[in-house]
Amino acid sequence: MKLTPMKRTAVIAVGSVLFFLLGAFVVLPSPIETVNICIQYGWLAFLSVACGPLTGSLVGLLGHIGIDLYFGELCWSWILASSAFGGLLGVLANVTRLNPASRDREMLVHFNLCQVAVHVVCWAGIAPVLEILLYNENMDRIFEQGLTAALSNAVTTAIVGSMLLALYTACRSRRS
């Protein structure tokens, strides 16, 4: 979707607030300490694919900063991983020509392959490495957290993100 600067700013603002609300209040604990099962990455994946990498990256950054401020401690490794997720998925969607306006199941399969790959890169790669570099965390524990986050985020994104893309596709096809 082509966005004017004014519309992009509005999408980033509203998207960040919704990312924050979903991440702060719609969570389930996971068996791994400090990792929650949350649905905000489905929302972020949808925005990244529909609105592009800049929007996705900024929504991930600002929304995750809001969540961390709400819980009282900024964790830059995970904030930057959220931002990277939005940006990388948006870039991957553009490069592979993932078209959210198409109505086929192939698009949803393509979307889910992309989002799983980006979750693994961000949560099993970027976040743990930054945790080790920035906070001198225990390598075993942090990679266990990262893999758990990658898996739970990929599952919730497959559900929520696919539903949002399907709704978006249905709405766009009715307008055409």
Side-chain angles (χ1 to χ4, degrees), residues 6 32 54 72 78 81 157 160 164 176:
M6 182 76 86
I32 305 299
L54 177 63
W78 291 70
T157 299
V160 174
L164 290 171
S176 300

Side-chain angles (χ1 to χ4, degrees), residues 50-116:
C51 302
L54 177 63
T55 300
S57 183
L58 289 172
V59 167
L61 178 77
L62 297 171
H64 202 125
I65 287 172
I67 293 167
D68 281 5
L69 287 173
Y70 177 76
F71 287 113
E73 183 179 355
L74 291 174
C75 181
W76 287 104
S77 54
W78 291 70
I79 291 168
L80 294 174
S82 287
S83 182
F85 175 78
L88 289 172
L89 187 59
V91 167
L92 194 56
N94 286 343
V95 168
T96 62
R97 302 196 192 291
L98 176 60
N99 183 2
S102 69
R103 279 190 71 106
D104 56 7
R105 291 175 197 227
E106 197 174 297
M107 183 272 301
L108 289 176
V109 170
H110 185 168
F111 163 74
N112 281 297
L113 290 172
C114 290
Q115 66 91 359
V116 167

Side-chain angles (χ1 to χ4, degrees), residues 1 17 19 22 24 26-28 34 87-88 91 103 126 140 148 161:
M1 151 184 354
V17 168
F19 184 94
L22 292 170
V26 186
V27 296
L28 296 169
T34 72
L88 289 172
V91 167
R103 279 190 71 106
I126 293 172
D140 294 335
T148 302

